[in-house]
Amino acid sequence: MADIKVTIIDREGVEHVLDAPTDMNMNIMELCKAYELPVKGECGGMAMCATCQCYLESDTPLAEQSDAELDMLDQAFYVKPNSRLGCQIPISEEIDGIVLRLAPEAE
Ligand code: FES
């Protein structure tokens, strides 16, 4: 399976165009960590910490947010209408070309 392109805009406004494998069962939080971008992913991808929050800046259609994700974003800081949890976005061919901006760190 081919890699897809994922663009992550970091907190300094720098764009990182990443090659993301679709066959490794990874999500956006894990991808950012693999590329050493400053995403903590403290809860390990359980939708329980919001340190992987990012803003969806492309019109990429994503699956609906789970109740767990919506509950977590309800309690998080800097939440916008286009906020998503990176750990809840699986890397798949459907999101090729996605653009995400990292949300500010809460602490
Ligand atoms: S890593 Fe904790 S909510 Fe995504």
Side-chain angles (χ1 to χ4, degrees), residues 27 29-30 33 39-53 68-69 72 84-88:
N27 60 53
M29 175 274 285
E30 293 165 335
K33 285 178 78 97
V39 172
K40 288 201 185 127
E42 265 165 15
C43 74
M46 305 291 289
M48 288 176 69
C49 73
T51 60
C52 65
Q53 186 191 169
E69 178 172 358
M72 188 63 242
R84 303 292 289 223
L85 295 178
C87 69
Q88 303 301 303

Side-chain angles (χ1 to χ4, degrees), residues 51 60 73-74 80-81 105:
T51 60
T60 310
L73 286 172
D74 242 10
K80 298 186 191 178
E105 281 192 285

